Amino acid sequence: MDLGQTRLGPSFRYDLRSPDMAKLDRFIVENPIRDWSVVTWKDVGRPFRVENYASGKRVWEEQNGDRMPIQTSWEMFNRSFHSWFVKDVPHEQRRMVGQFARAILGFRGAEIGSLLGDLQQIALWNTAHRLTDTIWDPRGKRALFRGLDVNRPRILFLGAAEGYEAMQLFAMYPGGEAVLVDYDAFCQTHRFGEFPEDYPFLGVNPKTGSPCAWYKGDMNLAYLVSDIRQLPFRHEFDIVISVGLLEHFPDEYKPECLEWHRKFLKPGGYAILTTPHHSWKTRLFYHIMGEAMNYTYRELMSVQQMGLYMYENGFNILRHGYIKTHNGVIARAR
């Protein structure tokens, strides 16, 4: 696939469009709050809590007579979420439509209701991930990540899952190292281990400065299965990134989550955080996909709310905005 092209695969979209970095403005909506010291929670409101938990979580808690441990909830979420990324979506849709038609012809009411819910989920996943590419969102992520003053950076990805964003950063700022960390070994063996080797990340050729495609196998990546609280690193990374991490912590634990980013940064390094952007689209997604997604505490927030959490916990906001379905903040520790 040549630069500037896109192609639709059975599970996801290959996308090498918009190689010109100067033309990425339309893929990000930036919010120019210039003085965060005057922003208050009364101004921005509080995040929306997603509380329609997956039945798997509810059943586990009923059977065990206790709240599901956080690590168990993440393990169940990772396995569920991964099962969607590896689906041959057109094949699954055809199979489900066939089952639905047979259920109608057989007057099987309970099966019809169940299959209708399954069809809603696969249709939404097809639109959100495969057709419109709102989860990986390569052009939006490149718009958010551009302009960093780094050379051959060391990158630390906290709660890395498949490591998508670290690979995108590596492609844009090549020659360094990315360390991916997750405490669920399944993320290393399956979510990262099975990430498609032929997926192209649009980045730069360090010898010529021209755009080029990078692939997972081209990159200097290390994957650690570890609790973030037990990492041996010091202030040694140029970039510390997390994606979809902060919103899983109630307010009393957010300072600890944000401290994990600060403690590993070099002086002048960049903390990059994203969270799902609060909108009717994301609320609909987490409602319909609740059985697949909602195993852990989760909030939907605005980029202003996200930025205020970071500012109050010792970060200066350099850039903030939202892309297709995610808020993004780039900051430095004060």
Side-chain angles (χ1 to χ4, degrees):
M1 193 170 68
D2 296 328
L3 294 183
Q5 293 185 337
T6 185
R7 176 166 58 85
L8 196 59
S11 303
F12 54 85
R13 179 178 290 279
Y14 298 83
D15 197 343
L16 290 176
R17 291 175 293 182
S18 304
D20 186 347
M21 294 288 286
K23 296 181 179 179
L24 291 174
D25 287 343
R26 62 195 179 99
F27 300 109
I28 186 170
V29 178
E30 299 204 58
N31 288 264
I33 294 178
R34 301 189 184 280
D35 186 357
W36 284 89
S37 68
V38 301
V39 180
T40 69
W41 287 108
K42 184 177 179 181
D43 297 327
V44 302
R46 288 289 176 176
F48 171 82
R49 289 189 183 184
V50 177
E51 295 182 325
N52 59 312
Y53 289 111
S55 61
K57 174 181 171 67
R58 298 193 300 270
V59 168
W60 189 99
E61 292 179 342
E62 290 170 2
Q63 291 176 344
N64 290 273
D66 196 2
R67 294 181 64 183
M68 179 182 283
I70 298 222
Q71 181 155 358
T72 303
S73 67
W74 274 109
E75 289 171 350
M76 294 184 73
F77 163 75
N78 281 322
R79 285 149 183 76
S80 174
F81 203 27
H82 181 68
S83 72
W84 285 88
F85 279 103
V86 298
K87 286 185 190 297
D88 181 328
V89 177
H91 171 77
E92 284 295 305
Q93 286 182 308
R94 291 192 296 269
R95 182 184 65 80
M96 288 181 185
V97 167
Q99 286 184 325
F100 187 67
R102 289 190 291 275
I104 290 175
L105 291 173
F107 298 100
R108 298 190 294 271
E111 188 176 348
I112 290 170
S114 175
L115 285 167
L116 187 59
D118 292 343
L119 283 167
Q120 285 180 321
Q121 285 189 326
I122 195 71
L124 180 58
W125 182 259
N126 183 51
T127 299
H129 179 58
R130 181 170 170 266
L131 298 181
T132 61
D133 208 355
T134 62
I135 295 176
W136 285 345
D137 191 6
R139 291 181 291 179
K141 299 282 173 56
R142 289 175 58 237
L144 176 64
F145 297 160
R146 63 187 166 162
L148 304 184
D149 184 17
V150 292
N151 180 38
R152 300 168 62 90
R154 290 194 76 207
I155 302 163
L156 178 65
F157 194 168
L158 304 177
E162 79 282 340
Y164 182 93
E165 287 75 13
M167 289 186 275
Q168 182 60 74
L169 280 165
F170 188 99
M172 295 172 68
Y173 305 100
E177 175 194 19
V179 179
L180 285 57
V181 179
D182 205 293
Y183 74 173
D184 184 359
F186 180 87
C187 290
Q188 180 191 45
T189 57
H190 289 75
R191 294 196 64 181
F192 172 73
E194 296 177 6
F195 188 87
E197 299 284 349
D198 65 341
Y199 183 89
F201 291 88
L202 190 49
V204 63
N205 184 326
K207 294 181 180 179
T208 66
S210 58
C212 73
W214 287 78
Y215 300 87
K216 175 184 169 184
D218 300 329
M219 303 180 189
N220 183 12
L221 307 172
Y223 207 111
L224 301 182
V225 177
S226 174
D227 189 316
I228 293 170
R229 296 167 293 184
Q230 298 172 359
L231 291 175
F233 307 121
R234 298 182 182 274
H235 297 285
E236 57 191 272
F237 290 91
D238 302 279
I239 299 170
V240 175
I241 183 171
S242 68
V243 172
L245 186 64
L246 182 66
E247 78 271 15
H248 293 292
F249 292 83
D251 281 2
E252 59 267 33
Y253 297 109
K254 284 188 175 75
E256 180 182 3
C257 175
L258 290 165
E259 177 60 25
W260 298 340
H261 298 73
R262 178 173 30 244
K263 70 183 292 186
F264 301 121
L265 277 174
K266 291 179 180 178
Y270 296 98
I272 304 177
L273 285 79
T274 79
T275 62
H277 179 63
H278 185 200
S279 69
W280 70 266
K281 290 181 180 179
T282 50
R283 287 177 70 160
L284 178 66
F285 181 82
Y286 286 108
H287 176 73
I288 292 178
M289 299 296 295
E291 285 299 307
M293 303 288 295
N294 298 342
Y295 286 90
T296 62
Y297 178 90
R298 184 189 299 276
E299 298 173 347
L300 300 175
M301 61 183 77
S302 69
V303 68
Q304 294 89 350
Q305 292 164 344
M306 183 183 170
L308 189 52
Y309 280 124
M310 294 183 68
Y311 179 80
E312 288 186 340
N313 285 279
F315 287 91
N316 286 329
I317 311 302
L318 305 180
R319 292 184 60 211
H320 61 289
Y322 63 90
I323 50 181
K324 284 184 177 177
T325 56
H326 290 88
N327 304 309
V329 174
I330 298 179
R332 283 194 173 114
R334 288 200 290 277

